[in-house]
Amino acid sequence: MLRRGLVAALAMAVLLPGAARCADTEAYRKARQRMVRYQIQDRGVRDPGVLEAMRAVPRHEFVPERYRDQAYEDHPVPIGLGQTISQPYIVAFMTELLELEPGDTVFELGTGSGYQAAVASEVAGSVYTMEIYRELADAALARLKSLGFGNVHARHGDGYYGWKEKAPFDAIIVTAAADHIPPPLIEQLSPGGRLVIPLGSPFSIQQLVLVTKDREGKVSERAIIAVRFVPLLGH
Ligand code: SAH
């Protein structure tokens, strides 16, 4: 009986497409609690919705298996093709800057692993995210689907041009470093909307800039902190 059960379990592990995913164990949940407390709250992030999202989203599922033991550490992690999943604090900080409300529609340029989109989707209504590498876009889409993030819509394409059919967006998040704000993204931002983008030289330190569009459509920019992101590609 025991042996049959074991064989069945092994067969499941081989056959199930999600077999490579590891469960959200107590150890992972504890690691997230610590991550939120010491890396995020201690550095000043206060938005309860953002803190809850960072505690809820299983970051280890978005990290390649060989780096999984680093998933909750205080730094970015490689995700292939020279790209990275951002440091947890930066994800939380950028999400807080967006001041998301439950019904908001968000656009993300740079899906990468899909982690930032998943976090934003916990606080907003829906997230549209675009990735320039097809391989990353397909992997993120499959991952988000299998983890049940039904309000994230991911697509392969050059996010410089936004996602016109789904615009306008209440919030836009750019997760690759640009030397200017893509004009299509300003156009696709709702009046009253917020956009965050790392601006500056792609191979050095950038400024995280918060762009706001007021009810009359007037756009203002404010530099917030120094950051380091991978470069914006394409366009
Ligand atoms: N937000 C991601 C991390 C982003 S790394 C996460 O949570 O994992 C930046 C990503 O932007 C990379 O995957 C890179 O391929 C992508 N990228 C760069 N230029 C792009 C463009 N013009 N359009 C869409 N994606 C782009």
Side-chain angles (χ1 to χ4, degrees):
M1 200 56 205
L2 185 68
R3 168 167 291 175
R4 195 188 295 160
L6 201 66
V7 171
L10 280 173
M12 294 261 288
V14 174
L15 292 175
L16 279 179
R21 293 199 289 113
C22 41
D24 191 18
T25 61
E26 190 55 29
Y28 281 131
R29 278 192 289 273
K30 282 210 173 113
R32 282 205 295 284
Q33 299 282 347
R34 279 196 301 274
M35 171 189 88
V36 168
R37 174 85 172 76
Y38 297 113
Q39 300 174 33
I40 297 172
Q41 282 184 293
D42 276 5
R43 292 189 180 124
V45 173
R46 292 279 170 268
D47 184 323
V50 173
L51 297 175
E52 206 36 58
M54 297 297 294
R55 281 189 206 102
V57 179
R59 181 173 162 95
H60 59 279
E61 297 281 11
F62 295 82
V63 167
E65 253 179 289
R66 68 177 183 285
Y67 296 116
R68 207 151 266 173
D69 58 339
Q70 299 179 31
Y72 297 103
E73 289 180 9
D74 195 14
H75 54 74
V77 178
I79 55 168
L81 298 163
Q83 308 305 320
T84 54
I85 174 174
S86 307
Q87 177 191 8
Y89 167 66
I90 291 295
V91 172
F93 185 65
M94 286 174 85
T95 312
E96 182 174 63
L97 282 176
L98 295 177
E99 293 176 36
L100 298 175
E101 302 281 345
D104 281 356
T105 304
V106 181
F107 175 70
E108 179 191 33
L109 185 165
T111 314
S113 66
Y115 178 67
Q116 170 71 76
V119 168
S121 81
E122 291 279 292
V123 248
S126 47
V127 177
Y128 294 86
T129 179
M130 205 174 281
E131 169 57 49
I132 202 157
Y133 283 116
R134 182 177 290 281
E135 202 179 317
L136 292 178
D138 290 350
L141 185 60
R143 182 178 297 124
L144 289 160
K145 207 171 158 202
S146 77
L147 292 170
F149 291 96
N151 56 342
V152 182
H153 310 275
R155 198 164 101 175
H156 167 241
D158 189 339
Y160 183 91
Y161 303 98
W163 192 321
K164 218 171 170 182
E165 310 85 81
K166 300 298 174 186
F169 300 102
D170 301 298
I172 296 181
I173 183 162
V174 179
T175 64
D179 60 6
H180 65 277
I181 306 166
L185 299 189
I186 302 264
E187 267 163 45
Q188 293 176 30
L189 189 63
S190 297
R194 297 150 309 282
L195 179 158
V196 280
I197 180 168
L199 270 189
S201 165
F203 297 101
S204 153
I205 301 279
Q206 304 99 31
Q207 286 294 320
L208 190 65
V209 173
L210 175 65
V211 181
T212 49
K213 192 189 254 188
D214 71 14
R215 300 274 162 207
E216 284 70 50
K218 187 171 154 285
V219 174
S220 332
E221 293 172 29
R222 185 157 61 95
I224 309 284
I225 50 165
V227 287
R228 188 190 284 266
F229 274 81
V230 293
L232 182 82
L233 308 167
H235 64 277

